[in-house]
Amino acid sequence: MPRPPRCPIVTIDGPSGSGKGTISRAVAQHVGWHLLDSGALYRLVALAGVAAGAASEDVQRHAELAARMEVTFGSGPDGSERVWLEGRDVTAAIRSETAGQGASRVAAWPAVRAALLERQRAFAISPGLVADGRDMGTVVFPQADLKIFLTATLEERALRRHKQLKDKGSDVSLPPFRAR
């Protein structure tokens, strides 16, 4: 079978709270390319595990779900991100703290990472791809045309996370930072 033509790929990596998602969405929208939010895939694996009744420590079951879960990414009428798992809109659910904690757990499992690898690579279709997430430029798309690693101070990352939680309606406070 002939290989599909190669499309341009930009990867954006960095620690949590550095702005990867914000920058990736803006770049993809500006240039009209596809967007891969790899963190959403790991959140979906965790959510699929809960929906399937898998034990939280069942690595094999989560890897099986990662390989076969039906996922759709799209946009709402207002252009906002929408995500469906097995035909159910889970946009809000994957952005919850519980899904984030589950994503951290399943992302550490090599079997889940392996199950998602080809799924992530399949996002590289014309006219181009902006891939957001850890290991995008080293493992998933080592041949990327442009690899960006964002950084931010610990204080900036904490402020971004605090704002994100407040915007979701969480009652959180930001402890004062001590001078070093």
Side-chain angles (χ1 to χ4, degrees):
M1 185 163 110
R3 292 178 52 139
R6 190 173 150 349
C7 76
I9 299 169
V10 172
T11 61
I12 302 180
D13 195 345
S16 180
S18 62
K20 294 184 305 283
T22 302
I23 298 295
S24 296
R25 279 188 298 279
V27 169
Q29 184 175 23
H30 182 75
V31 298
W33 288 4
H34 299 281
L35 173 66
L36 167 57
D37 174 356
S38 68
L41 287 174
Y42 288 99
R43 289 167 176 268
L44 285 162
V45 171
L47 195 60
V50 170
S56 63
E57 68 282 352
D58 189 341
V59 175
Q60 186 57 39
R61 180 75 173 120
H62 282 85
E64 291 167 4
L65 290 166
R68 68 170 180 80
M69 64 184 179
E70 180 187 323
V71 175
T72 307
F73 293 96
S75 299
D78 61 352
S80 63
E81 172 192 53
R82 308 303 301 170
V83 182
W84 294 267
L85 175 62
E86 307 297 340
R88 189 173 59 103
D89 186 339
V90 294
T91 306
I94 67 164
R95 300 300 174 197
S96 71
E97 284 303 298
T98 302
Q101 291 167 354
S104 294
R105 184 184 71 254
V106 302
W109 296 336
V112 169
R113 296 184 78 76
L116 289 179
L117 185 60
E118 287 308 312
R119 178 169 254 179
Q120 292 171 354
R121 288 180 175 158
F123 277 83
I125 56 176
S126 186
L129 176 67
V130 177
D132 155 20
R134 293 196 177 85
D135 299 333
M136 288 292 108
T138 55
V139 176
V140 182
F141 299 109
Q143 82 290 6
D145 299 279
L146 176 62
K147 300 176 186 184
I148 299 169
F149 189 89
L150 294 179
T151 60
T153 64
L154 181 58
E155 292 84 359
E156 180 60 29
R157 292 171 53 207
L159 289 169
R160 290 176 60 82
R161 184 70 177 136
H162 179 259
K163 180 184 181 315
Q164 184 183 49
L165 291 172
K166 289 295 250 187
D167 289 349
K168 289 181 185 178
S170 295
D171 183 25
V172 295
S173 62
L174 183 66
F177 290 100
R178 291 179 289 200
R180 295 182 185 213

